[in-house]
Structures are given as C-alpha cells and as structure tokens.
C-alpha cells in the first residue's frame, strides 16, 4: 500500500462504542481510511499500546504519521475529504 493510501489509519476493535461512533460519523468517507482490527493484528495492538502509555485505547487514528487517541470525527473527516 502506498504512503498516500496510508495517510489515515484507524486502529479499532469489535464492540468499541467509540469506534462504532467514529465510523458512523464518517459515513462513506470512512472507506478512504485503512481500518485495522487490533484483535486480529498483534503488531497493530503493540503499536496502539506504544502510543497510549501501554493501553489498547481505540480508536487510535494515525493521520499523516501522527497518532491521535479518540480524535473527533471532524478531525478525521477533514483529512479524508482531501483524499482522491
């Protein structure tokens, strides 16, 4: 996957209300992000712990290389709207 395709990565897990709310708030724009289930990807879970003081706090969203813990939908939407 190219860097352009990785500009927004959402780390999430099933049953997370905050993750479901983010996804719903993004609507169709959410399809432009790469969604990574931390319960199916050990490296992803380790990354989330590394940027959240050892906690698996989700959603953790990486936008252009910067991790954001439980960001607002508007923050994520702004970046997704700029993608082709």
């Amino acid at each position: 996957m190219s860097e352009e395709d990785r500009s927004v990565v959402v780390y999430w897990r099933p049953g997370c209300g905050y993750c479901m709310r983010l996804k719903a708030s993004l609507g169709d724009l959410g399809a432009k992000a790469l969604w990574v289930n931390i319960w199916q990807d050990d490296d992803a879970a380790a990354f989330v712990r590394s940027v959240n003081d050892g906690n698996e706090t989700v959603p953790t969203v990486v936008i252009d290389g910067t991790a954001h813990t439980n960001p607002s939908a508007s923050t994520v939407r702004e970046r997704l709207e700029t993608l082709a």
Side-chain angles (χ1 to χ4, degrees):
M1 181 174 279
S2 71
E3 282 302 310
E4 175 74 9
D5 293 334
R6 293 185 211 208
S7 59
V8 178
V9 180
V10 180
Y11 294 95
W12 71 285
R13 65 170 173 75
C16 169
Y18 297 104
C19 299
M20 290 184 281
R21 184 172 56 217
L22 176 62
K23 190 168 191 170
S25 296
L26 295 175
D28 292 341
L29 281 175
K32 293 183 176 185
L34 173 63
W35 292 77
V36 180
N37 180 345
I38 66 168
W39 284 357
Q40 293 181 339
D41 186 326
D42 292 337
D43 290 336
F47 170 76
V48 169
R49 288 190 303 272
S50 78
V51 297
N52 290 296
D53 299 320
N55 299 304
E56 290 185 354
T57 307
V58 289
T60 292
V61 182
V62 177
I63 300 173
D64 297 324
T66 301
H68 304 267
T69 303
N70 198 14
S72 68
S74 62
T75 297
V76 180
R77 189 179 305 110
E78 277 181 29
R79 180 61 179 107
L80 291 174
E81 287 174 341
T82 67
L83 300 177

